[in-house]
Amino acid sequence: MPKNKGKGGKNRRRGKNESEEKRELIFKEDGQEYAQVLRMLGNGRLEAQCIDGTKRLCHIRGKMRKKVWVNMGDIILVGLRDYQDEKADVILKYMADEARSLKAYGELPDNIRVNETDLGGEEDNENAEFFDFEDISEI
């Protein structure tokens, strides 16, 4: 059996994310854009709707991976690529209170929902069509 030479195992790394103190609000610069996560794709990638109106395939940078968990509906700051307009890199994830203050400053448009993670969910299911499997044989 090998001797433990490190500073601890998995549980030591887990306890480091307890920094809930206020951080300074970071605004976008040139070459950056605000976006809202549409869906997670796996392998450190996601699809996001940017504020300028384009959907981009975003890559979570290595510093954020496994440390900052990005979910559907989160507001993120992405760095745009000069050579690929349809792809971007996730620079920062805004907490809910930071996203609300960005909205208050007028950086985010009013139609973006900040604290709701139900983006592709059920909006109005009054007009949704339902069918039985017995109806398929008639088609």
Side-chain angles (χ1 to χ4, degrees):
M1 194 129 206
K3 290 268 188 183
N4 289 332
K5 295 182 183 175
K7 292 187 171 81
K10 209 188 303 185
N11 292 332
R12 181 179 180 274
R13 284 195 303 257
R14 278 188 188 151
K16 285 196 172 182
N17 202 12
E18 300 300 322
S19 58
E20 287 291 325
E21 69 266 2
K22 287 276 190 178
R23 63 180 182 194
E24 186 177 339
L25 190 61
I26 298 172
F27 294 105
K28 72 172 183 176
E29 299 171 3
D30 55 335
Q32 295 177 349
E33 193 64 56
Y34 300 114
Q36 188 167 28
V37 179
L38 293 178
R39 62 185 179 140
M40 302 299 294
L41 299 175
N43 200 19
R45 296 177 305 154
L46 55 94
E47 188 179 17
Q49 177 72 39
C50 292
I51 301 303
D52 58 2
T54 58
K55 280 186 186 176
R56 290 191 170 93
L57 178 71
C58 299
H59 181 262
I60 300 174
R61 58 185 278 194
K63 192 175 182 182
M64 288 180 63
R65 240 175 147 167
K66 295 196 176 179
K67 293 178 179 65
V68 179
W69 291 103
V70 182
N71 296 316
M72 223 172 72
D74 286 342
I75 305 295
I76 54 175
L77 181 67
V78 296
L80 304 177
R81 296 181 180 178
D82 297 334
Y83 50 93
Q84 290 175 314
D85 190 45
E86 68 276 356
K87 292 187 178 179
D89 302 298
V90 178
I91 298 173
L92 181 80
K93 174 194 164 188
Y94 290 106
M95 301 295 171
D97 57 333
E98 292 172 334
R100 277 188 223 104
S101 57
L102 276 176
K103 200 171 182 179
Y105 282 127
E107 293 283 320
L108 296 176
D110 292 332
N111 60 353
I112 285 190
R113 298 178 183 163
V114 172
N115 52 2
E116 294 182 24
T117 57
D118 259 358
L119 256 156
E122 306 144 43
E123 288 117 22
D124 291 325
N125 282 338
E126 297 170 7
N127 299 332
E129 294 182 21
F130 296 105
F131 59 90
D132 292 330
F133 289 107
E134 298 160 356
D135 296 341
I136 294 176
S137 61
E138 297 172 5
I139 295 175

